[in-house]
């Protein structure tokens, strides 16, 4: 029975499985057909009669239709659905919408286009100027052409970098669009009629967007390619013009010493050129256009120059304003300032115009001439108050001679006429210099330097005359221009030197007044230090202008640049001498500034400033920051990498182990003294057997000022290694003791301790909150010892306080009839 039951169950199960395999499953319908089928079924259901029996429904549900086995039930292949097509369309839209965002980032295209047009006109002028057959092209203009071409080349490289970035972005867009054309889902939508009808609205929008993007990509691509082509053409032109300008500058040296033109006494050619107003106008226009373009491409330096002038003006004005507000302007009377005043417009102009050549070494000739002429106009107003009438008339004459040179050059005269005009100016300058140099009236005092400047002016004009007569026209122009500019620069730098020194002195006085220091200080020592620094700066400026006018600056600058810029290697360590020199130079400058930074705060090293401990401590930290900042700036500016510095520090570590430990110990001890502050500047301390006030705490050593005026220099390591007695660490209070040997009074109540305490308390330096103590000890049968203990407020006034209190006690004892032994 059991076996029959198992057999029946097995047959029943096989029948069910076989029935499932024979169920007819309809094929999948598209989405649209499914939607229509669902609607039809809904309508059929709604129209069915309500009297239909449940048994009929069940029979239909269990109705089996035999069919063949369907293997798709067990496959893992996914067929795309409507949502897949919709997501792919959305991705295409996102890609196309990103194209305007990318092209809108090409914001520099109009700017590059405008600048290329401006540079094109500048290059046309340069080509026209370089193609002229006239061999008297101005030397300074050739140098300016070279600088201008360098700026143009730098601009072109910048344009090319942006254009390449834009071109790369467009290439990326084109690649993405090309990938969209290969998308199988999008292609299937366009090939399937049902899908095309389903996404008809989306496809219409996609076509419109596609046309817009295609037009946008094509337009920007053509724009970028056009600008790249124009930039490439400019680069070729710049390379050619740079080569021609370099050759012209090289030819100046060889041509200048040779005979360029006929001797002055030789007859002229049969057809001399005549003056042309068109040539004059063309010369002026070309000078103006080139100068404007030069200024547009080199405005950063002049902005710094303008900022320097404005800062100088407000610096002087603020100091005068401070002294006026505190009613301390009479403190400046003893310094006899000549070039600074409460409204330093002229002083600021002299300061800026004197520094202008340093900011534009190869500026256009018309710019240099304008700057120098403006400088001399300002100097005329300043010197009128300080020069005699005889010297001021001479200065005005020099101003006229200076103005004639640029006028002759700009007029565009025929060469022969220009040569005679320059000869006339050089002869007039020669006579003018001889009259003032060898005349009966002698210059004295601070104007003796004019003799050296006038002597050089005379020599250069004499060389200009000789070269002009013997046909060395280029050399004559160089000597004539150099003579004028050198003399003008000498006078202006003399005023510049006094102006800067007076400004620093004004800063010192103003700072001392604000901090309550005494107004008087060691003027001679401070002026000597300031004069040395400013004189060095003036000499550098003068040499730059002098060598530039002689066309020697580039030649003198090229060899050191090549020598110091050449890379050298020691093992795996590569460096340049220029980097090392720059590194050491910045370190030296930082050390120089940290030494003289105290002048800005009115600290000239006297005892009055030493009393201001907070000021000295802040100044000490400022010096340390300058040194550390200078070191970091030197590392960054010199181009030395961090690993190279590590090698150097490793070598120094070996040196420390061998013999530099004391130096490093003192350096580290100095930093500890600065920040830990066991002693401060102005403290009264005892270090070993030395006692005095701390005058200075340096990086390596500290200075102790004794009561006798001796300055004891103690290494910082010794300061920390010894026991330090700081009498003024928390306050300036100190207890003093006075001892008197007196004869015993005949009356026991004659010596009243209270009267002695009252006398001590009356002194202003005695601390009120601590009562004085009076002790009387018997020494012999006839004498006693009187001891007085009291606290004072300021230890620095100890001798003054003890002297006055001792005198007051003597007077009191004398009044009591007590004899002091």
């Amino acid at each position: 029975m059991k076996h029959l039951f198992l057999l029946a169950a097995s047959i029943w199960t096989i029948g069910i499985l076989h029935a499932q395999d024979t169920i007819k499953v309809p094929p999948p319908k598209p989405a649209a057909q499914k939607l229509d089928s669902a609607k039809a079924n809904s309508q059929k259901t709604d129209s069915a009669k309500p009297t239909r029996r449940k048994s009929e429904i069940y029979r239909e549900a269990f109705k089996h239709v035999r069919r063949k086995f369907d293997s798709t039930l067990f496959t893992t292949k996914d067929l795309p659905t409507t949502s897949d097509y919709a997501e792919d369309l959305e991705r295409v839209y996102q890609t196309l919408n990103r194209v305007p965002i990318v092209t809108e980032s090409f914001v520099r295209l109009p700017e590059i286009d405008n600048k290329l047009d401006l540079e094109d006109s500048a290059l046309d002028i340069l080509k026209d100027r370089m193609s002229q057959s006239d061999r008297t092209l101005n030397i300074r203009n050739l140098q300016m052409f070279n600088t201008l071409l360098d700026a143009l080349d730098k601009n072109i490289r910048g344009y090319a970098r942006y254009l390449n970035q834009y071109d790369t972005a467009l290439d990326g867009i084109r690649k993405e669009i090309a990938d969209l054309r290969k998308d199988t889902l999008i292609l299937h939508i366009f090939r399937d009629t049902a899908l095309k009808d389903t996404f008809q609205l989306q496809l219409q929008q996609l076509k419109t967007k596609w046309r817009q993007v295609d037009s946008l990509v094509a337009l920007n691509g053509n724009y970028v390619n056009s600008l790249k082509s124009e930039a490439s053409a400019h680069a070729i032109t710049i390379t050619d013009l740079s080569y021609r300008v370099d050759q012209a500058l090289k030819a100046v040296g060889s041509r200048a010493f040779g005979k360029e033109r006929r001797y002055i006494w030789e007859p002229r050619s049969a057809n001399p050129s005549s003056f042309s107003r068109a040539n004059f106008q063309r010369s002026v226009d070309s000078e103006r256009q080139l100068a404007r373009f030069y200024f547009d491409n080199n405005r950063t330096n002049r902005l710094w120059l303008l900022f320097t002038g404005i800062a100088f003006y407000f610096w002087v004005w603020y100091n005068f304003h401070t002294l006026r507000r505190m009613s301390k302007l009479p403190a400046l009377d003893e310094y006899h300032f000549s070039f600074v005043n409460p409204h330093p417009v002229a002083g600021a102009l002299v300061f800026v115009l004197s520094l202008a050549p340093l900011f534009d070494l190869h500026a256009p000739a018309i710019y240099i001439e304008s700057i120098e002429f403006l400088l001399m106009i300002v100097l005329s107003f300043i010197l009128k108050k300080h020069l005699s009438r005889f010297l001021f008339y001479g200065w005005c004459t020099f101003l006229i001679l200076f103005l004639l040179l640029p006028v002759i050059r700009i007029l565009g005269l025929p060469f022969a006429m220009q040569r005679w005009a320059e000869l006339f100016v050089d002869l007039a300058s020669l006579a003018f210099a001889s009259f003032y140099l060898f005349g009966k009236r002698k210059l004295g005092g601070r104007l003796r330097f004019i003799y050296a400047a006038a002597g050089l002016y005379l020599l250069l004009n004499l060389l200009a005359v000789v070269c002009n007569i013997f046909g060395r026209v280029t050399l004559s122009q160089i000597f004539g221009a150099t003579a004028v500019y050198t003399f003008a620069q000498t006078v202006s730098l003399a005023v510049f030197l006094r102006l800067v020194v007076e400004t620093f002195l004004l800063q010192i006085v103003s700072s001392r007044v604000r901090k309550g220091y005494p107004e008087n200080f060691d003027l001679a020592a401070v002026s000597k230090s300031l004069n040395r620094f400013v004189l060095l700066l003036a000499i550098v400026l003068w040499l730059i202008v002098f060598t530039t006018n002689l066309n020697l600056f580039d030649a003198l600058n090229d060899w050191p640049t090549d020598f110091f810029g050449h890379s050298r290697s020691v093992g795996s360590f590569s460096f340049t001498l220029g980097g090392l020199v720059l590194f050491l130079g910045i370190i030296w400058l930082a050390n120089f500034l940290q030494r003289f930074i105290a002048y800005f705060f009115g600290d000239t090293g006297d005892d009055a400033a030493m009393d201001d401990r907070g000021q000295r401590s802040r100044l000490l930290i400022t010096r340390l920051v300058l040194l550390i900042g200078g070191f970091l700036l030197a590392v960054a500016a010199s181009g030395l990498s961090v690993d190279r510095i590590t090698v150097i520090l490793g070598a120094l570590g070996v040196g420390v182990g061998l013999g530099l430990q004391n130096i490093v110990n003192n350096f580290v001890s100095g930093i500890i003294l600065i920040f830990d502050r066991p002693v401060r500047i102005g403290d009264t301390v005892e270090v070993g057997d030395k006692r005095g006030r701390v005058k200075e705490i340096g990086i390596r050593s500290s200075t102790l000022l004794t009561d006798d005026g001796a300055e004891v220099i103690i290494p910082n390591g010794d300061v920390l290694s010894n026991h330090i007695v700081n009498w003024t660490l928390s306050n300036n209070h100190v207890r003093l003791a006075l001892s008197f040997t007196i004869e015993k009074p005949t009356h026991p109540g004659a010596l009243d301790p209270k009267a002695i305490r009252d006398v001590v308390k009356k002194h202003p330096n005695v601390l009120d909150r601590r009562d004085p103590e009076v002790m009387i000890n018997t020494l012999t049968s006839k004498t006693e010892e009187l001891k007085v203990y009291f606290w004072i407020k300021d230890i620095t006034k100890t001798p003054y306080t003890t002297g006055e209190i001792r005198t007051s006690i003597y007077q009191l004892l004398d009044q009591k009839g007590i004899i002091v032994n």
Side-chain angles (χ1 to χ4, degrees), residues 335 501 504-506 508-509 512 520-534 596 598-600 602-606:
Y335 301 105
V501 171
F504 270 95
L505 293 177
L506 174 65
I508 294 173
V509 175
R512 293 177 72 86
N520 300 322
F521 57 92
D522 189 358
L523 177 62
V526 175
S527 298
K528 183 178 179 181
S529 301
L530 293 175
N531 274 315
R532 189 185 302 115
F533 169 70
V534 181
F596 288 93
Y599 288 171
F600 283 92
D603 186 355
T604 60
D606 54 355

Side-chain angles (χ1 to χ4, degrees), residues 147 151 154 294-309 352 355-363 367:
T147 304
K154 181 180 178 181
Y294 177 88
F295 296 147
D296 291 340
N297 284 271
N298 296 275
R299 65 180 62 182
T300 304
N301 291 340
R302 279 174 299 282
L303 288 177
W304 278 109
L305 183 64
L306 179 62
F307 174 77
T308 303
V352 170
L355 293 176
L358 191 62
F359 285 80
D360 283 295
L361 295 177
H362 295 149
Y367 170 73

Side-chain angles (χ1 to χ4, degrees), residues 408-419:
I408 292 172
R409 183 180 60 81
I410 295 176
L411 280 177
L413 300 174
F415 179 75
M417 188 180 299
Q418 181 179 350
R419 182 179 177 184

Side-chain angles (χ1 to χ4, degrees), residues 662-730:
N662 289 334
I663 296 177
V664 175
N665 179 30
N666 292 329
F667 177 79
V668 175
S669 299
I671 296 178
I672 294 174
L673 288 175
I674 290 174
F675 290 100
D676 191 43
R677 303 178 70 185
V679 295
R680 297 164 298 179
I681 296 177
D683 283 349
T684 300
V685 299
E686 293 180 12
V687 181
D689 58 344
K690 302 294 187 298
R691 176 189 172 97
R693 298 187 67 193
V694 180
K695 182 178 181 181
E696 183 179 0
I697 300 177
I699 299 300
R700 189 192 66 83
S701 62
S702 299
T703 303
L704 202 65
L705 183 64
T706 65
D707 295 336
D708 300 329
E711 295 183 356
V712 182
I713 299 175
I714 306 174
N716 291 329
D718 294 345
V719 174
L720 289 183
S721 61
N722 290 319
H723 295 290
I724 305 174
V725 179
N726 193 337
W727 291 90
T728 56
L729 181 61
S730 58

Side-chain angles (χ1 to χ4, degrees), residues 34 304 403 440 579:
K34 288 182 178 179
W304 278 109
L403 192 59
K440 296 182 179 180

Side-chain angles (χ1 to χ4, degrees), residues 533-638:
F533 169 70
V534 181
L535 182 61
L536 178 62
L537 177 61
I539 290 174
V540 171
L541 288 173
W542 188 89
L543 288 175
I544 290 175
V545 174
F546 182 70
T547 54
T548 302
N549 288 320
L550 284 178
N551 196 30
L552 296 175
F553 181 79
D554 288 336
L556 295 175
N557 185 51
D558 289 342
W559 179 83
T561 301
D562 296 337
F563 178 76
F564 287 102
H566 179 69
S567 179
R568 292 169 172 81
S569 299
V570 177
S572 61
F573 178 69
S574 59
F575 64 96
T576 61
L577 292 179
L580 292 179
V581 171
L582 183 62
F583 178 84
L584 296 176
I586 295 178
I587 293 295
W588 174 85
L589 181 61
N591 181 61
F592 176 84
L593 290 177
Q594 68 89 17
R595 288 174 56 193
F596 288 93
I597 192 67
Y599 288 171
F600 283 92
F601 303 100
D603 186 355
T604 60
D606 54 355
D607 294 342
M610 191 168 61
D611 291 335
D612 191 350
R613 301 177 188 174
Q615 168 67 27
R616 280 293 182 90
S617 300
R618 290 190 296 269
L619 182 60
L620 189 60
I621 296 176
T622 303
R623 286 174 169 171
L624 182 62
V625 170
L626 281 175
L627 288 176
I628 297 176
F631 175 77
L632 297 178
L633 180 62
V635 172
S638 62

